[in-house]
Amino acid sequence: MARVRSQTRRQGAFNPGKITLGNTTLDVEAAEVQAGNTISLSPKEARLLRYFMKNAGKSLDENSVFRHLGEEGETEDQDEVWLYVNYLKRKLASVQSDLTVEGQRGGPYRLVHGGVNTYGSH
């Protein structure tokens, strides 16, 4: 029983239902992000934001972001990374998040915390 409880705790730690950073909460299961208000995310946007939030402040190259964007067996064009990063920037700004994604096409990308996010100012 102790092993089962331990395994359950570990799974919760590695795959939390909600992740909070700054004023922003990502509900992984519902694929919603909330700060000043709430907005729905596509499954890819939710996976991408989860990856960024777990690696906040770290410089992430385009290949690592690309691997976390798609699902197993799915073929993507790496240009989609830039597209989804921009979708995420806009959605973070729309909920008045104090998080934003920095970076240019081709990476590296970095989720930063601080200040009110206004799309296009970072």
Side-chain angles (χ1 to χ4, degrees):
M1 286 301 289
R3 284 185 188 153
V4 170
R5 283 193 301 270
S6 174
Q7 189 71 6
T8 303
R9 279 193 307 270
R10 274 191 234 135
Q11 287 175 348
F14 291 122
N15 190 13
K18 291 187 179 182
I19 302 171
T20 300
L21 181 61
N23 74 343
T24 307
T25 300
L26 169 64
D27 185 331
V28 177
E29 293 176 15
E32 291 180 340
V33 65
Q34 178 181 4
N37 50 44
T38 304
I39 194 168
S40 294
L41 301 173
S42 73
K44 287 183 183 182
E45 291 166 341
R47 281 194 302 273
L48 188 58
L49 183 55
R50 178 174 180 242
Y51 181 60
F52 279 136
M53 289 177 86
K54 285 186 165 199
N55 293 284
K58 295 180 183 175
S59 183
L60 305 170
D61 66 67
E62 187 175 47
N63 287 329
S64 69
V65 175
F66 178 73
R67 284 191 303 274
H68 284 84
L69 182 62
E71 291 183 19
E72 196 67 34
E74 196 176 321
T75 57
E76 298 273 342
D77 179 355
Q78 279 190 267
D79 284 338
E80 285 194 71
V81 171
W82 179 243
L83 181 69
Y84 279 97
V85 165
N86 277 301
Y87 289 161
L88 215 48
K89 284 182 177 184
R90 288 181 182 156
K91 288 190 176 182
L92 288 170
S94 74
V95 296
Q96 301 165 347
S97 172
D98 59 1
L99 304 177
T100 190
V101 180
E102 291 182 340
Q104 300 298 319
R105 176 173 270 186
Y109 303 104
R110 186 169 66 117
L111 184 72
V112 294
H113 171 244
V116 175
N117 181 346
T118 56
Y119 180 73
S121 68
H122 294 277

